[in-house]
């Protein structure tokens, strides 16, 4: 007997063992199908319930976050609100400026990216890293002169007011007398 | 306009018609698919489970599948795919438990051939059963296995070569 005939014969004989009870199997299949459909529906219902529950519990929080993010730009103006160049003449200002020989015309430029350029009566600083400022509402925090006149004094905090092209600062806290004197001794005119 | 009662009655008629069609197909195809799957799995209980699951799939998709030319081929394809999955799981289980049960053959049969078939890979085994037992041409074997004709031919060629080596038989010519 050839290989093909042997394989065919063995399979045919072996298949004789299979004699299913079709009626019983049909009933089983129908029962299994009903269960599968119920399981599927229950699964979908549970999934839908979870989605609704998540929306109910997390929805208000998500909305709060979105609202607060929308509010933030209004209450927190970016540095560009004050961006521009300002000038002040502190000739005869006296006090710490006079003692330090810093009387005269000062100018500062508040850049839109939060950096500050300054120009003292004696000339601009050479080779120093740029100072920075940060605006929040009507407050401004800056490390102006941190690498020169206010080295080691940290940052100063001021409130500001910009009206009709005139910028004024009121000191809130600042450990550097020179910075306090330069910023608050006179109104800064926008140039 | 049709009354609700008439609509319900018509729906019930359509439903019982499709039920009857399904039942008829089940009566004709279930034993045949069961034999094929048994010859692939060599396990009566698992074959029954697998084929029942395939017919559950058929019933769930009956509305769509009943419109096909050969719904029987669809369910056979699903059953063989499920059998392959089952075989793979069983192979993993056997490897883990280091236990391989010998085939249960109460009817006198060529046990050596059955053992040799059992030794084949899933696709080779299915190709052998479809080709030798169901007498299907290569194109149909490929269609049911979901592969190309040349791939099916390769499965069959390798299966025959393997069987020939184990059984000490000469494989004279290739299948056509």
């Amino acid at each position: 007997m050839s290989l093909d005939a042997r394989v065919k014969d063995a399979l045919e004989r072996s298949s004789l063992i299979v004699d299913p009870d079709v009626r019983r199997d049909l009933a089983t299949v129908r029962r299994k199908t009903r269960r599968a459909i119920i399981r599927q529906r229950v699964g979908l219902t549970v999934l839908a319930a979870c989605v609704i529950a998540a929306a109910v519990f997390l929805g208000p929080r998500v909305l709060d976050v979105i609202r607060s993010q929308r509010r933030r730009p209004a209450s927190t103006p970016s540095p560009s609100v004050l961006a521009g160049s300002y000038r002040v003449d502190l000739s005869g200002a006296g006090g710490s400026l006079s003692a330090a020989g810093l009387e005269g015309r000062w100018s500062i430029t508040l850049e839109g990216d939060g950096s500050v350029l300054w120009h003292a009566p004696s000339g601009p600083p050479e080779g120093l890293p740029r100072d920075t400022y940060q605006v929040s509402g009507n407050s401004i925090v800056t490390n102006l002169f941190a690498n020169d006149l206010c080295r080691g004094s940290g940052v100063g905090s001021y409130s500001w007011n910009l009206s009709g092209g005139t910028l004024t600062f009121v000191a809130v806290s600042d450990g550097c007398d020179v910075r306090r004197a330069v910023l608050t001794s006179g109104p800064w005119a926008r140039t | 306009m049709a009354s609700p009662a008439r609509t319900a009655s018509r729906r019930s008629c359509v439903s019982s018609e499709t039920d009857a069609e399904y039942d008829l197909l089940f009566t004709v195809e279930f034993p045949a698919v069961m034999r094929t799957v048994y010859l692939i799995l060599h396990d009566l209980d698992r074959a029954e489970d697998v084929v029942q699951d395939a017919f559950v799939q058929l019933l769930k998709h009956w509305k769509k599948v009943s419109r096909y030319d050969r719904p029987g081929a669809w369910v056979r394809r699903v059953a063989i795919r499920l059998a392959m999955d089952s075989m793979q799981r069983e192979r993993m289980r056997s490897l883990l438990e280091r236990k391989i049960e010998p085939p249960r053959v109460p009817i006198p049969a060529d046990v050596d051939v059955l053992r040799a078939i059992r030794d084949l890979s899933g696709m080779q085994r299915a190709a052998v059963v479809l080709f030798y037992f169901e007498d299907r041409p290569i194109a149909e074997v490929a269609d049911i296995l979901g592969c190309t004709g040349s791939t099916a031919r390769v499965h069959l060629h390798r299966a025959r070569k393997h069987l020939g080596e184990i059984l000490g038989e000469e494989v004279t010519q290739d299948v056509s």
Side-chain angles (χ1 to χ4, degrees):
Chain A
M1 195 188 276
S2 73
L3 174 70
D4 295 331
R6 223 178 134 185
V7 171
K8 196 172 171 57
D9 180 64
L11 289 172
E12 274 168 8
R13 279 172 185 270
S14 180
S15 76
L16 295 176
I17 192 181
V18 181
D19 185 20
D21 181 342
V22 175
R23 193 178 284 254
R24 191 207 59 180
D25 283 314
L26 179 57
T28 307
V29 165
R30 285 201 176 278
R31 198 173 53 245
K32 278 185 171 181
T33 307
R34 271 196 300 273
R35 276 191 206 149
I37 290 170
I38 289 169
R39 264 202 306 273
Q40 198 174 359
R41 282 182 188 162
V42 168
L44 285 173
T45 309
V46 169
L47 184 68
C50 288
V51 169
I52 290 167
V56 167
F57 286 111
L58 296 177
R61 291 180 195 180
V62 172
L63 282 175
D64 283 348
V65 170
I66 292 169
R67 280 185 197 134
S68 69
Q69 279 177 347
R70 280 186 185 164
R71 272 198 303 267
R72 198 168 296 157
S75 62
T76 313
S78 63
S80 62
V81 170
L82 293 181
S85 295
Y86 303 87
R87 185 178 293 167
V88 66
D89 189 352
L90 300 180
S91 303
S96 57
L97 292 180
S98 175
L102 294 173
E103 286 179 313
R105 292 165 74 93
W106 284 81
S107 66
I108 55 172
T109 300
L110 302 172
E111 300 279 12
D113 63 359
S115 61
V116 191
L117 299 174
W118 54 273
H119 195 289
S122 55
E126 297 292 341
L128 296 178
R130 283 190 178 192
D131 300 322
T132 59
Y133 74 103
Q134 196 171 357
V135 172
S136 175
N138 69 336
S139 298
I140 180 169
V141 176
T142 179
N143 68 345
L144 187 67
F145 312 141
N147 301 295
D148 189 54
L149 302 166
C150 297
R151 195 183 298 274
S153 299
V155 297
S157 176
Y158 296 81
S159 63
W160 60 268
N161 181 49
L162 180 61
S163 172
T166 301
L167 177 62
T168 52
F169 296 101
V170 175
V172 176
S173 66
D174 197 343
C176 177
D177 291 337
V178 173
R179 182 164 53 209
R180 184 194 293 255
V182 170
L183 290 178
T184 62
S185 294
W188 292 78
R190 191 168 226 161
T191 58
Chain B
M1 200 171 124
S3 69
R6 191 179 285 176
T7 309
S9 149
R10 203 171 138 203
R11 200 175 292 153
S12 143
C13 276
V14 171
S15 171
S16 62
E17 261 175 42
T18 56
D19 276 3
E21 283 171 15
Y22 177 85
D23 290 358
L24 183 64
L25 183 86
F26 188 96
T27 310
V28 173
E29 294 287 348
F30 189 88
V33 179
M34 176 82 184
R35 282 188 196 102
T36 298
V37 170
Y38 166 72
L39 291 174
I40 294 172
L41 292 176
H42 294 279
D43 183 323
L44 209 47
D45 295 336
R46 270 204 301 146
E48 192 178 48
D49 276 348
V50 161
V51 179
Q52 282 179 357
D53 287 348
F55 276 87
V56 165
Q57 294 295 319
L58 178 65
L59 187 52
K60 279 169 78 178
H61 299 98
W62 181 243
K63 212 172 166 182
K64 184 179 72 179
V65 180
S66 61
R67 282 190 245 123
Y68 293 172
D69 284 344
R70 292 182 301 152
W74 186 91
V75 75
R76 179 175 265 95
R77 197 178 303 139
V78 171
I80 288 174
R81 201 194 66 225
L82 292 176
M84 298 285 189
D85 293 346
S86 169
M87 207 161 26
Q88 209 146 10
R89 281 197 301 274
E90 180 63 18
R91 196 162 278 176
M92 290 297 292
R93 195 180 67 83
S94 301
L95 281 173
L96 289 172
E97 296 178 5
R98 301 276 172 217
K99 187 180 88 179
I100 297 172
E101 290 169 13
R104 198 171 52 163
V105 191
I107 310 285
D110 194 334
V111 178
D112 292 338
V113 174
L114 297 180
R115 284 218 167 100
I117 291 173
R118 209 185 143 98
D119 209 31
L120 298 171
S121 75
M123 286 296 263
Q124 290 173 1
R125 221 191 282 185
V128 163
V129 172
L130 291 169
F131 184 77
Y132 287 108
F133 178 68
E134 293 202 354
D135 271 333
R136 291 185 185 273
I138 293 286
E140 277 185 35
V141 172
D143 184 43
I144 291 172
L145 293 182
C147 61
T148 62
S150 50
T151 305
R153 199 182 296 276
V154 168
H155 284 312
L156 207 50
H157 171 78
R158 287 185 182 159
R160 291 177 82 234
K161 193 176 165 205
H162 185 78
L163 293 175
E165 281 167 9
I166 289 185
L167 299 170
E169 296 268 3
E170 198 180 343
V171 182
T172 48
Q173 57 188 31
D174 215 347
V175 291
S176 54

